[in-house]
Amino acid sequence: MPSAPLLSRRQLLQAASLLGLSTAALGVRPTWAAPAGLANVYPQGVEDGPQVSLAVRREARQIADKTAYPITLNGTSPGPLIRLREGQDASLKITNLLDEKTSVHWHGIILPSNMDGVPGLSYAGIAPGEVFTARFPVNQNGTYWYHSHSGLQEQLGHAGPMLIEPAEPEPFHYDREHVLLLTDWTFEDPRDVFRHLKVAEGYYNRQERTLVDFFDDVAKHGLAETWKQRSMWQQMRMSSRDIADVTGSTYTYLVNGHTAQDNWTALFRPGEKLRLRVINGSAMSYFDVRIPGVKMTVVAADGQPVQPVPVDEFRIAVAETYDVVVEPEADRAYTIFAEAMDRSGYVRATLAPRLGMVAPIPERRRIADRGMEAMAAHGGGMDHASMSTGSSDHSSMSEVDHSSMAGMDHSSMAGMDHGAHGTAHAPMAEMNHTPADQTTSAAHGSGLLAAGVAQPGSRYDQAGIGIDPAERRVLVYGDLKARTPWPDRRPPGRELELHLTGNMERYMWSFDGKKFSEVDGPIHFAHGERLRLIFVNTTMMEHPIHLHGMWMELENGAGELIPRKHTLNVKPGERVSALVTADAPGHWAFHCHLLYHMDAGMFRVVKVA
């Protein structure tokens, strides 16, 4: 009897996709795995392009020894690693097997606007039972990711990594690589999480100050200063420990879908150089990442190569990516420690020569307190509870449902005149900043800062709250320099200023004091123009701001070598600017990447025409 023909690797992968199996489940090693020992480079499986199929379902899975019901892609949550190559024409087919609409946004990928994956802007979304194929030329390389842009599906695990191999050799060497996708999982319904935040903004804050903390502060700062600061926070009806809206009190932090107890392991041989591609695919959580005993060298930020920066730790905002090269020397295990910014939890993975090895977990740091910069964001003693998020009374306004917002047809709205979209509310007007509908133009004789110069009010030399720069070498935005200058060297022709605004007590978030449901049109970019975006954070929270379809060149003082990013973290009270070349016609989403902030209204549309 003749033997059955052997299946090719691609046929095996296609069969696995049709059956909803991951390549990890089949034991198939990805073609891009370098030396032996890389079988667990990404445990959720690999889909090699340029043709990829994704089946979106809701399935029972075990998370932290409990039964959960995440959204899966090809049977895994997070989804499989999509591997493309620069110069290819990608064809990414998504089949929706959910009972609701879904979508896939290719985060950080430069592509036509109708392929960007935002319902209401790119398309109507993918209805249950429907198939949509995203087709676009791959004109970049680096570390990226993908996720749903429908409702709160991203919180349900609808995300995965995307890596693009370069057409030319990269400017740094490594022997093997591993992907670390950081996420936050809650066993609550995300709609319940949002409702809890609307009812009580501090619902998930279990780390409020105690009487012991008060006496500690008195010992350090004296009674008068301690009383003064407490009084200021009380006047603003806020807590100095409002670091994160959603915390470890409900979140289980994951790396590649695994808990700290699972001990996900990245293998190495002593002396090898490893490339770790770190992606923050969480809904709301910032992480501080370090590997005790191992120096990290940052070589890329948001997929773009940067001049090497040796660090001991880096903070990664929601939606950012960092590539680091490490070279563990000893034949022992090392802990990859990702600690939530509010210190309410962590997740760890392990670097090890062999599976089953473990290393000590570092002692967790105590939660920090918001300082004067957060108070300054509100004018020192401003009554935050009375701070308007728009001209109308929102006290009875129902919560914004992003699923309906995202499903709206923005086409008519996007075509409107942008005339008066961004009138600032009264407290902001007192700060003498220019709202977004007022731009400064060089053509009108108003002087602009030279390209690449850091804005007054930026704090690029600071990593942010809870980081002690004397403790270890921590990455800051001021360290980032591009490998080479970017092609468009024109100075900006105009400036556009946006205020990041919010009312935490009512849990409303906005740009220029207006939620997305209140604006009357898009922000206009002229096709081909060079402009400067200025973000002024008037809130006490960090905001990772993401612009779809175009790069933002962070003006961090590096002159011609300012780095390109798709997501910019803006600290409380900070003033940050970026240059943009408006080379992408169409309508583009522009929003805070904290999922519940976006859902609460911190979302705009940019029209390039």
Side-chain angles (χ1 to χ4, degrees):
M1 181 176 178
S3 60
L6 294 175
L7 291 175
S8 69
R9 180 182 181 279
R10 180 162 293 279
Q11 287 172 321
L12 187 59
L13 292 175
Q14 290 172 341
S17 179
L18 289 173
L19 293 172
L21 300 174
S22 71
T23 52
L26 293 171
V28 178
R29 179 178 299 167
T31 56
W32 48 272
L38 279 182
N40 64 339
V41 64
Y42 184 71
Q44 311 302 86
V46 179
E47 298 290 346
D48 285 315
Q51 295 183 353
V52 170
S53 295
L54 295 176
V56 186
R57 299 180 177 88
R58 191 83 183 264
E59 299 179 281
R61 290 289 182 268
Q62 290 296 114
I63 299 176
D65 296 326
K66 297 180 182 179
T67 299
Y69 293 90
I71 292 176
T72 66
L73 299 106
N74 291 359
T76 71
S77 181
L81 185 156
I82 295 176
R83 192 91 185 197
L84 302 175
R85 185 171 181 82
E86 187 177 13
Q88 291 178 333
D89 288 323
S91 176
L92 308 173
K93 184 175 74 172
I94 304 106
T95 301
N96 184 7
L97 301 177
L98 299 172
D99 58 4
E100 61 180 347
K101 281 189 176 183
T102 193
S103 58
V104 178
H105 165 56
W106 316 102
H107 187 102
I109 306 301
I110 305 302
L111 74 183
S113 61
N114 64 339
M115 296 290 133
D116 191 44
V118 179
L121 292 182
S122 307
Y123 57 175
I126 309 170
E130 286 190 348
V131 177
F132 175 81
T133 302
R135 295 183 175 91
F136 54 87
V138 182
N139 294 323
Q140 63 198 93
N141 62 76
T143 302
Y144 304 94
W145 64 298
Y146 60 93
H147 60 85
S148 172
H149 229 287
S150 298
L152 301 174
Q153 292 179 1
E154 188 182 340
Q155 180 72 89
L156 291 168
H158 190 329
M162 172 179 278
L163 308 186
I164 304 176
E165 296 177 352
E168 301 293 333
E170 294 181 279
F172 51 88
H173 167 75
Y174 58 97
D175 299 302
R176 67 173 85 186
E177 62 182 8
H178 293 283
V179 174
L180 291 93
L181 176 64
L182 302 172
T183 55
D184 45 22
W185 171 261
T186 174
F187 290 95
E188 294 184 77
D189 187 315
R191 293 169 296 185
D192 291 336
V193 173
F194 189 80
R195 183 165 55 251
H196 291 153
L197 291 170
K198 293 289 288 184
V199 171
E201 182 276 329
Y203 185 90
Y204 294 102
N205 189 351
R206 304 292 189 269
Q207 303 184 91
E208 292 290 3
R209 300 188 64 80
T210 65
L211 189 61
V212 173
D213 292 321
F214 176 80
F215 286 118
D216 285 345
D217 288 346
V218 170
K220 291 178 183 177
H221 309 296
L223 179 61
E225 181 63 25
T226 300
W227 190 261
K228 177 184 176 182
Q229 291 201 15
R230 293 291 182 98
S231 298
M232 291 177 72
W233 286 114
Q234 185 176 14
Q235 184 180 357
M236 291 188 290
R237 303 186 208 176
M238 299 159 70
S239 167
S240 62
R241 290 188 170 176
D242 273 329
I243 311 299
D245 297 344
V246 191
T247 72
S249 65
T250 188
Y251 275 150
T252 299
Y253 300 112
L254 306 175
V255 56
N256 296 341
H258 293 270
T259 67
Q261 290 70 35
D262 293 336
N263 190 32
W264 185 81
T265 302
L267 298 177
F268 73 91
R269 291 194 183 101
E272 282 185 327
K273 288 187 176 181
L274 309 180
R275 179 183 191 167
L276 304 180
R277 300 179 182 258
V278 185
I279 304 166
N280 189 347
S282 64
M284 294 290 288
S285 304
Y286 283 56
F287 293 98
D288 294 319
V289 181
R290 53 190 162 119
I291 310 174
V294 176
K295 179 73 74 173
M296 300 181 287
T297 301
V298 178
V299 295
D302 287 359
Q304 300 296 289
V306 296
Q307 296 185 20
V309 185
V311 299
D312 299 307
E313 184 173 21
F314 62 89
R315 172 162 292 173
I316 185 166
V318 173
E320 287 187 316
T321 74
Y322 283 111
D323 291 29
V324 300
V325 172
V326 299
E327 192 171 356
E329 296 288 347
D331 185 27
R332 68 176 182 88
Y334 300 87
T335 294
I336 304 172
F337 190 61
E339 188 176 20
M341 180 175 67
D342 72 321
R343 311 308 181 215
S344 64
Y346 69 92
V347 66
R348 66 89 182 257
T350 299
L351 278 178
R354 294 169 294 282
L355 292 176
M357 300 179 71
V358 296
I361 296 175
E363 181 180 353
R364 287 165 56 185
R365 292 169 285 197
R366 293 184 59 188
I367 186 172
D369 287 278
R370 293 288 185 191
M372 297 304 295
E373 76 285 344
M375 294 184 188
H378 301 285
M382 185 182 297
D383 184 355
H384 184 64
S386 64
M387 179 177 170
S388 170
T389 59
S391 58
S392 59
D393 180 11
H394 303 295
S395 59
S396 61
M397 179 173 289
S398 61
E399 64 187 52
V400 177
D401 181 356
H402 182 61
S403 60
S404 60
M405 181 195 84
M408 288 168 51
D409 180 5
H410 298 287
S411 57
S412 58
M413 183 210 76
M416 289 182 177
D417 183 15
H418 181 54
H421 85 270
T423 304
H425 51 76
M428 286 309 308
E430 295 170 3
M431 297 178 69
N432 286 327
H433 291 321
T434 306
D437 60 338
Q438 300 175 22
T439 58
T440 303
S441 171
H444 294 161
S446 299
L448 302 179
L449 287 176
V453 175
Q455 287 283 327
S458 62
R459 299 197 304 277
Y460 297 131
D461 60 340
Q462 300 174 25
I465 189 168
I467 294 291
D468 182 357
E471 192 173 14
R472 60 182 64 89
R473 174 70 166 89
V474 182
L475 181 73
V476 295
Y477 270 1
D479 293 326
L480 299 178
K481 293 183 179 181
R483 281 280 185 169
T484 58
W486 303 114
D488 193 346
R489 306 278 287 280
R490 295 176 296 164
R494 66 179 177 119
E495 292 180 345
L496 185 67
E497 186 167 298
L498 287 159
H499 303 140
L500 315 183
T501 50
N503 184 318
M504 291 181 63
E505 189 175 46
R506 295 174 181 170
Y507 207 75
M508 297 176 184
W509 300 96
S510 55
F511 287 110
D512 287 340
K514 288 190 176 183
K515 300 187 301 181
F516 178 66
S517 60
E518 298 172 330
V519 299
D520 57 5
I523 299 171
H524 284 275
F525 292 0
H527 184 225
E529 77 167 317
R530 184 79 162 158
L531 73 155
R532 171 180 284 132
L533 293 178
I534 300 174
F535 306 116
V536 181
N537 187 356
T538 70
T539 79
M540 66 171 291
M541 306 296 291
E542 287 77 8
H543 297 285
I545 303 300
H546 174 43
L547 174 63
H548 290 220
M550 291 159 278
W551 290 110
M552 295 185 289
E553 298 167 39
L554 175 65
E555 293 192 289
N556 63 349
E560 294 181 347
L561 297 178
I562 57 176
R564 270 185 176 177
K565 295 186 94 274
H566 51 58
T567 306
L568 295 181
N569 180 48
V570 188
K571 297 185 286 293
E574 191 173 31
R575 183 180 174 92
V576 169
S577 69
L579 300 178
V580 175
T581 298
D583 56 1
H587 296 89
W588 301 99
F590 182 45
H591 59 91
C592 175
H593 219 286
L594 297 179
L595 181 62
Y596 298 104
H597 285 196
M598 179 178 70
D599 205 56
M602 207 168 191
F603 182 99
R604 296 300 303 271
V605 174
V606 167
K607 179 180 179 180
V608 180

